[in-house]
């Protein structure tokens, strides 16, 4: 726009016509390649969706997930831990829903209640199947085997945009009995080949039997089977500091159809930073040759957020080697090969798990925003769950 304004003021007569044709060619090229370069994220609006200890029968809200839906709504989920902040214990799955792009949210509904289990439910992965318009939520019960066994992988599904949910289904019947916990974050439906339409969910095992494992469905979540895995070393044995121990994960699909998984480096193997592993065959395998360590993404051992939008890869985590503080948004124009130097701090203080989504229904408005949900506090990172709307172009 600036270029064309300057050019036209200086030119006269018939040359303007030919010049403007030339300029529009130059401009359309500039716009298409430079919109990614002009990314200048701005924390545009923020609101707390859950406050620990402030609402009824819940002691602590943790493990936030966020997704878009096929109808253009946003759904936020969290574990409502009933009596303490501990990972074990009885919980609800809490949900709030927004039909106006995050401006207002429904009251909390508890869509799953595990009663009073000693080692109740844990989140989990949310997956949108755009072909049938469903939202699938995968969670575990008895993941820590604390006074219970075995661990089960469970699923609930909504066919009406998150309004109502099916009764829980036990996926261990199809997957086999194994400790598996999704994400935490979102799973994907593949948009590109190989395996367009497949649902792909990443998750991890117990600390001894840890690793990143994929579960797959080629029929919209009716049947699930085990895909590729990246096992810890030594597998099924007690871990020591600096052992190789891939843990919580967030995957994204690249435009070439590959799946890239950003992974928590549980025992700080090789660096205090993120591991990255990828699959070229739609999630059937995770070859160790594809593994690398992303030294730019320093990490205090936590679940992080990632999103691929319009050819740009976004990443959120508390960017600090030792503490869960400094929630930071990074972006890459090179599919994660390099990250732009200019990172944006979302919250300087205590901050933990995060998850990113966006609406992508082709409107100019939707291209401008991404949404981040994260654990945020002043003293402890699990005091609240916050929803942040990020304008990608500095509010312009
Ligand atoms: C889920 O199915 C597995 C395999 O049959 C079984 O061992 C487990 O007890 C089931 N879990 C629940 C909660 O029903
Ligand atoms: C916050 O993150 C930025 C970007 O990674 C980094 O430069 C800065 O040192 C971090 N600050 C703290 C206190 O961790």
């Amino acid at each position: 726009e600036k270029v064309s304004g300057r050019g036209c003021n200086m030119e006269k007569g018939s040359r303007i016509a030919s010049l403007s044709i030339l300029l529009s060619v130059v401009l359309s090229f500039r716009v298409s390649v430079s919109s990614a370069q002009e990314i200048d994220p701005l924390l545009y609006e923020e609101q707390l969706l859950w406050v620990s200890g402030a609402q009824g029968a819940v002691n602590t809200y943790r493990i936030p997930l966020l997704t878009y839906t096929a109808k253009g709504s946003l759904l936020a989920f969290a574990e409502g831990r009933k009596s303490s902040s501990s990972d074990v214990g009885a919980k609800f799955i809490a949900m709030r829903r927004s039909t106006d792009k995050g401006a207002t949210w429904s009251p909390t509904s508890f869509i799953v209640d595990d009663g009073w289990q000693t080692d109740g439910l844990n989140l989990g992965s949310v997956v949108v199947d755009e072909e049938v318009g469903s939202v699938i939520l995968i969670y575990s019960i008895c993941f820590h085997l604390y006074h219970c066994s075995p661990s089960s992988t469970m699923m609930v599904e909504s066919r009406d945009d998150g309004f109502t949910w099916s009764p829980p289904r036990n996926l261990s019947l199809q997957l086999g009995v194994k400790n598996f916990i999704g994400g935490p974050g979102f799973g994907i439906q593949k948009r590109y080949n190989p395996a367009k339409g497949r649902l792909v969910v990443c998750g991890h095992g117990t600390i001894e039997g840890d690793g990143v494992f994929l579960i797959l469905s080629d029929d919209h979540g009716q049947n699930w089977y085990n895909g590729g895995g990246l096992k810890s070393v030594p597998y099924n044995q007690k871990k020591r500091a600096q052992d190789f121990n891939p843990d919580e994960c967030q995957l994204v699909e690249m435009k070439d159809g590959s799946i890239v998984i950003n992974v928590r480096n549980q025992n700080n193997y090789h660096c205090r930073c993120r591991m990255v592993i990828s699959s070229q065959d739609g999630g059937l395998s995770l070859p160790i040759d594809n593994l690398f360590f992303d030294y730019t993404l320093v990490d205090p051992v936590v679940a992080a957020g990632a999103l691929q939008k319009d050819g740009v890869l976004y990443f959120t985590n508390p960017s600090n080697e030792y503490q869960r503080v400094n929630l930071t948004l990074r972006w890459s124009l090179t599919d994660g090969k390099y990250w732009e130097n200019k990172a944006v701090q979302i919250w300087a203080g205590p901050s933990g798990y995060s998850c990113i989504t966006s609406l992508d229904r082709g409107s100019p408005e939707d291209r401008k925003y991404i949404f981040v949900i994260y654990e945020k506090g002043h003293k402890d990172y699990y005091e609240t769950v916050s929803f942040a709307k990020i304008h990608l172009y500095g509010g312009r």
Side-chain angles (χ1 to χ4, degrees), residues 296 298 318-321 323 325-328 330 341 343-345 348:
T296 307
V298 303
S319 181
N320 183 287
E321 288 190 4
Q323 280 180 291
V325 296
N326 194 30
L327 195 90
T328 300
R330 289 190 169 277
N341 283 329
V344 168
Q345 186 185 64

Side-chain angles (χ1 to χ4, degrees), residues 56-309:
V58 172
N59 176 286
T60 303
Y61 288 95
R62 276 211 63 195
I63 327 293
L65 311 181
L66 187 63
T67 188
Y68 69 97
T69 70
K71 286 211 172 104
S73 303
L74 293 171
L75 303 179
F77 305 88
E79 290 179 9
R81 300 183 169 185
K82 293 179 191 176
S83 54
S84 79
S85 64
S86 159
D87 290 344
V88 299
K91 305 174 200 76
F92 300 107
I93 297 178
M95 186 199 72
R96 296 184 72 178
R97 185 168 170 267
S98 174
T99 52
D100 56 8
K101 301 176 192 282
T104 60
W105 293 83
S106 71
T108 297
S109 49
F110 294 124
I111 62 169
V112 181
D113 179 355
D114 61 17
W116 286 104
Q117 297 201 23
T118 50
D119 186 6
L121 63 87
N122 287 100
L123 288 173
S125 290
V126 59
V127 202
V128 173
D129 187 318
E130 291 183 32
E131 291 175 9
V132 299
S134 63
V135 183
I136 289 170
L137 192 62
I138 290 174
Y139 62 96
S140 310
I141 51 179
C142 186
F143 177 75
H144 309 89
L145 305 176
Y146 182 73
H147 299 307
C148 58
S149 113
S151 171
S152 306
T153 304
M154 309 294 290
M155 163 181 153
V156 289
E157 181 179 21
S158 175
R159 294 262 172 160
D160 58 4
D161 205 47
F163 211 67
T164 61
W165 294 83
S166 71
R169 244 181 74 199
N170 182 355
L171 299 186
S172 300
L173 296 164
Q174 294 172 350
L175 295 169
V177 173
K178 176 175 156 42
N179 288 56
F180 174 84
I181 190 161
F186 59 82
I188 56 166
Q189 180 171 47
K190 290 214 72 237
R191 290 184 176 176
Y192 308 100
N193 275 321
K196 184 169 182 292
R198 175 177 290 163
L199 306 182
V200 185
V201 169
C202 73
H204 73 100
T206 52
I207 297 295
E208 276 112 58
D210 214 349
V212 167
F213 303 99
L214 298 177
I215 61 171
L216 312 173
S217 173
D218 293 326
D219 56 6
H220 313 290
Q222 284 308 298
N223 290 284
W224 291 86
Y225 59 99
N226 292 295
L230 176 71
K231 287 180 173 173
S232 59
V233 182
Y235 189 58
N236 272 338
Q237 289 171 53
K238 274 227 151 49
K239 296 294 188 293
R240 293 183 183 170
Q242 277 121 56
D243 278 350
F244 178 67
N245 203 1
D247 191 71
E248 293 172 323
C249 51
Q250 176 61 67
L251 50 74
V252 296
E253 182 177 21
M254 294 302 174
K255 289 219 158 137
D256 66 359
S258 61
I259 298 166
V260 174
I261 314 177
N262 196 290
V263 182
R264 167 171 169 160
N265 185 355
Q266 181 68 23
N267 291 44
N268 296 308
Y269 178 82
H270 198 71
C271 65
R272 289 183 177 271
C273 70
R274 307 291 297 181
M275 300 181 188
V276 182
I277 181 79
S278 55
S279 173
Q280 257 62 253
D281 58 6
L284 296 176
S285 71
L286 293 175
I288 191 126
D289 288 7
N290 293 351
L291 177 74
F292 70 94
F293 293 82
D294 194 329
Y295 303 111
T296 307
L297 303 183
V298 303
D299 191 71
V301 184
V302 73
L307 181 76
Q308 210 277 121
K309 180 180 172 69

